[in-house]
């Protein structure tokens, strides 16, 4: 039986903030979990408490459902990967065809820990912002991977532990639209001001769509999605 409760993988970025709003709109009890894996854009870890505080302040009805937040230290991930997200190296494409921002197995590790935490906290599902629409080619963002992981958790924990991915088939423009549908301009403004997406951790340049370098793949996606959503309103 799935309980009306969830653990949201919350990084402090746009996607996971929309996922959190989605979970708060449909579940009675929601907790959050984040991971410190020595990401170059560790600035997002600094955004997390601010985003949570703003959600509680601007959406009291959601604030009442929002429970504990935890950040787990997964620095060990940096030891098994040499990527543009965890090292000072260029963001480009490797011989495998995958971008150098790919951290092998990252979401599998995150979900294993999130599943264990959800089990311990008595939460009914894990919610993540994985998306295969304009994903950067990461195989651990695919729905099939999430289904397999949900099944592995359900078997390994001997309890239903589905992995919910509300953004799976949305592009970035539709993600902005979903944010607006869930929380109106209040939520869109919160995402623009407080969430972080830029791979390089840049928070010194402010654009219509928020802070970032404006040129890395993450900024590019966020900016294009914003422009497409605004044009279609
Ligand atoms: Zn950027």
């Amino acid at each position: 039986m799935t309980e009306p409760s969830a653990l949201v993988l919350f990084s402090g970025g746009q996607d996971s903030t929309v996922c959190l709003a989605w979970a708060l709109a449909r579940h009675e009890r929601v907790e959050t979990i984040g991971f410190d894996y020595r990401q170059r854009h560790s600035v997002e870890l600094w955004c997390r408490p601010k985003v949570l505080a703003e959600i509680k302040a601007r959406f009291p009805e959601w604030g009442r459902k929002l429970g504990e937040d935890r950040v787990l230290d997964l620095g060990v991930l940096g030891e098994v990967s040499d990527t543009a997200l965890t090292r000072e190296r260029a963001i480009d494409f490797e011989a495998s065809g995958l971008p150098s921002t790919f951290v092998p197995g990252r979401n599998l590790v995150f979900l294993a820990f999130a599943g264990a935490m959800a089990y311990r906290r008595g939460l009914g599902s894990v919610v993540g912002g994985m998306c295969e629409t304009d994903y950067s080619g990461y195989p651990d963002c695919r729905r099939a991977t999430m289904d397999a992981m949900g099944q592995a958790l359900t078997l390994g924990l001997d309890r239903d532990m589905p992995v919910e991915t509300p953004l799976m088939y949305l592009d970035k423009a539709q993600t902005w639209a979903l944010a607006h549908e869930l929380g109106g301009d209040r939520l869109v403004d919160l995402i623009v001001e407080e969430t972080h997406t830029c791979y390089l951790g840049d928070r010194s340049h402010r654009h219509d769509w928020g802070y970032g370098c404006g040129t890395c793949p993450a900024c590019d996606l966020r900016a294009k999605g914003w422009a497409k959503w605004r044009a279609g309103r």
Side-chain angles (χ1 to χ4, degrees), residues 198-199 212-214 216 219:
C198 176
Y199 278 152
C213 71
C216 78
C219 280

Side-chain angles (χ1 to χ4, degrees), residues 130-132 135 137-147 168:
M130 299 79 178
C131 170
E132 59 176 49
Y135 76 135
Y138 300 166
D140 61 345
C141 287
R142 294 175 189 152
R143 186 60 238 177
T145 308
M146 297 302 108
D147 286 339
M168 184 55 74

